[in-house]
DNA sequence: TAGAGTTAGTTATGCGGATAACGTTAGCCG
DNA sequence: CGGCTAACGTTATCCGCATAACTAACTCTA
């Protein structure tokens, strides 16, 4: 592949990252949220209470990122962290009532954002989009460089 | 669009952003570069010397980001900033010799990254990928929310 | 030509995310 | 049982990127 083609791909991904994130920031600002925090809230809304390590895994970010985001969301009253009864290292993270209602609002604009994002695309292309993007993600995922050899 | 579909789209974009950037970081680390800096070098290599405001526009980031990135690349000896002769506010940013050779190295792994990214995709899909991603980017670009009404 | 508005650039500050280093607790096994 | 390793979480530090606020310089016009 020549450089121009390669640059077109890489640059397109980079710009999409920047603009998509900026759009999220604009949509979340009225709710007092920053990009990244919505993922934490949505994960808790989807799966229910869980410990930090599970959150880290589910969000695809490192534990220190979870610690800091959780601290801010806790300070804002959207989540609660309580010691895990069976493991004194872990804390259970869960949504407060405020967090639950906030998560519902986030779901709303999550749908609006997705529709806005795929606007103008053929229905088939839009339907295949998540799978396509996940393929790209898998191709560059440093955690799974190559398919595991033996189970 | 229901929430699950919307989340699949938004989450896929978010994860692709994280993993693609992480892969870039891993590839750039041996060169002593951080993600984002490669875009600045490549832009200078492509277009030649230019002032900061043009860089900001070309990279799609805000001026303060250019200031800080440029300062670090300058400290590393990869770029040089000289006062613009015809405009005493502006500075001309250009690659040093070190920066030029570094940019060539970046081009190499830029190609490798793109090939890695689109691995396993049908040739046609890969060829259409940049256009598709640019469509998505345009759809969420907060700078051009809706097509301008009158000129 | 003088003032208003615009543009280039910087500093300050805040957030997400990463790595490195550390203390604490579980769990495993000799 | 005691010690080794692994896992959970936190702090510190770094970078990219954003906005807000500011200075300095250019430009346009009344």
């Amino acid at each position: 592949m020549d450089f121009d083609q390669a640059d077109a791909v890489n640059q397109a991904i980079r710009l999409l990252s920047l603009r998509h994130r900026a759009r999220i920031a604009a949509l979340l600002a009225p709710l007092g949220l920053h990009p990244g925090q919505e993922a934490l809230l949505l994960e808790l809304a989807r799966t229910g209470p869980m410990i930090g390590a599970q959150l880290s895994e589910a969000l695809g970010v490192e534990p220190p990122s979870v610690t800091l985001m959780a601290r801010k969301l806790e300070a804002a009253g959207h989540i609660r962290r309580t010691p895990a009864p069976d493991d004194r290292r872990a804390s259970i993270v869960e949504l407060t009532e405020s967090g639950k209602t906030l998560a519902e609002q986030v779901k709303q604009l999550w749908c609006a954002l997705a529709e806005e994002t795929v606007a103008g695309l053929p229905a088939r292309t839009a339907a295949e989009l998540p799978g396509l993007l996940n393929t790209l993600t898998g191709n560059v995922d440093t955690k799974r460089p190559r398919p595991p050899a033996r189970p």
Side-chain angles (χ1 to χ4, degrees), chain A:
Chain A
M1 185 181 301
D2 64 37
F3 172 72
D4 286 342
Q5 291 174 359
D7 190 53
V9 173
N10 295 332
Q11 186 81 349
I13 294 175
R14 175 171 170 274
L15 265 186
L16 176 58
S17 302
L18 285 173
R19 297 291 166 255
H20 189 253
R21 190 180 181 85
R23 188 77 184 108
I24 289 175
L27 291 171
L28 291 179
L31 302 182
L33 291 176
H34 294 269
Q37 299 179 340
E38 88 287 347
L40 203 159
L41 294 179
L42 288 176
E43 183 59 34
L44 287 179
R46 181 186 308 118
T47 311
M50 54 204 301
I51 71 173
Q54 291 173 312
L55 262 176
S56 167
E57 174 69 23
L59 300 183
V61 301
E62 296 300 316
S65 302
V66 174
T67 296
L68 297 178
M69 283 171 46
R71 179 181 301 166
K72 282 155 192 164
L73 288 172
E74 188 177 33
H78 301 317
I79 65 173
R80 179 176 26 238
R81 287 191 295 175
T82 57
D86 58 330
D87 187 339
R88 289 195 297 173
R89 299 169 300 180
S91 352
I92 296 176
V93 184
E94 59 186 334
L95 292 174
T96 61
E97 285 308 312
S98 152
K100 287 178 187 173
T101 64
L102 194 56
E104 287 305 313
Q105 295 179 267
V106 171
K107 283 187 184 181
Q108 300 283 341
L109 27 106
W110 219 229
C111 292
L113 172 60
E115 285 173 6
E116 177 182 336
T117 302
V118 302
L121 261 53
R124 174 168 186 125
T125 306
E128 292 172 345
L129 185 60
L132 171 60
L133 297 179
N134 287 337
T135 298
L136 302 179
T137 302
N139 284 344
V140 296
D141 194 336
T142 51
K143 268 100 173 184
R144 295 160 227 140
R146 298 301 156 199
R150 310 157 201 79

